[in-house]
């Protein structure tokens, strides 16, 4: 029963994780304009994501523009794009495999040991996908930090972390915890008896004194 509860909890956390990964990938707030130096007061806030850049005006108007050419994008941005897409696909595939191996489902046959191994494989796949997401977020964050502290970067073009990168990070960590729980839920096979079982039928003869 405890093993089944661990599987359900791990699946739920991994599902929340992949939702966070999808939301973080779609949102354009991966980095936002930093108000430093003489750039403290401004009427426009700039946000950049994996797919588009947006300008938020103080009047409440929002203008977004999708990136025109992939070849014009920076290396970290292209890598983050690819890794986030791969992360989502792999985590979803791992959740599908884990769903087949969970005790509370009828898929994967009636063999409990086989189903537990399928759930473990699904958990490992989820872990691989979550690691791809963490690498993507960390790579993109490193590029933001490096450009922020670069003395040759103009003050009005410096950026800091946006909310979307934190959502993607949180989703990746939830997927890691959920995948680890699914991978740890694999039960061992039935232990073999330590002593051989006698197959000789009991004697039916009776002794009389």
């Amino acid at each position: 029963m405890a093993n089944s509860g661990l599987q359900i909890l791990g699946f739920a956390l991994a599902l929340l994780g992949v939702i966070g990964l999808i939301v973080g990938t779609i949102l354009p707030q991966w980095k936002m304009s930093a108000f430093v130096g003489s750039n403290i007061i401004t009427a426009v806030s700039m946000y950049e994501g994996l797919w588009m850049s947006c300008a938020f005006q103080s009047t409440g108007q929002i203008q977004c523009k999708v990136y025109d050419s992939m070849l014009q994008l920076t290396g970290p941005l292209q890598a983050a794009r690819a890794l986030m897409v791969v992360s989502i696909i792999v985590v979803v595939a791992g959740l599908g495999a884990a769903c087949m191996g969970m005790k509370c489902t009828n898929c994967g046959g009636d063999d409990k040991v086989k189903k537990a191994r399928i759930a473990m494989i699904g958990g490992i796949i989820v872990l691989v996908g979550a690691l791809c997401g963490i690498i993507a977020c960390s790579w993109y964050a490193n590029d933001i930090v490096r450009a922020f502290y670069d003395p040759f970067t103009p003050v009005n073009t410096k950026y800091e972390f946006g909310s979307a990168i934190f959502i993607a990070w949180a989703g990746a960590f939830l997927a890691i915890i959920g995948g680890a729980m699914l991978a740890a839920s694999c039960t061992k096979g039935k232990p073999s008896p330590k002593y051989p079982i006698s197959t000789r039928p009991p004697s039916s003869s009776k002794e009389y004194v």
Side-chain angles (χ1 to χ4, degrees), residues 135-157:
I135 292 173
C137 296
S138 302
W139 196 342
Y140 195 89
N142 178 69
D143 184 66
I144 296 174
V145 173
R146 186 177 53 81
F148 184 87
Y149 289 107
D150 189 354
F152 298 101
T153 302
V155 176
N156 58 348
T157 60

Side-chain angles (χ1 to χ4, degrees), residues 111-197:
D111 191 349
K112 295 182 179 181
V113 177
K114 181 180 178 181
K115 285 175 66 70
R117 289 175 180 173
I118 294 175
M120 181 189 69
I121 294 173
I124 294 174
I125 296 174
V126 171
L127 284 174
V128 173
L131 286 176
C132 290
I134 288 181
I135 292 173
C137 296
S138 302
W139 196 342
Y140 195 89
N142 178 69
D143 184 66
I144 296 174
V145 173
R146 186 177 53 81
F148 184 87
Y149 289 107
D150 189 354
F152 298 101
T153 302
V155 176
N156 58 348
T157 60
K158 289 188 175 183
Y159 289 86
E160 58 186 0
F161 298 152
S163 58
I165 194 171
F166 292 108
I167 294 175
W169 251 327
F173 279 113
L174 284 176
I176 281 184
I177 297 174
M181 287 183 175
L182 289 171
S185 65
C186 181
T187 56
K188 298 181 180 179
K190 296 181 180 179
S192 58
K194 296 182 180 180
Y195 302 100
I197 300 175

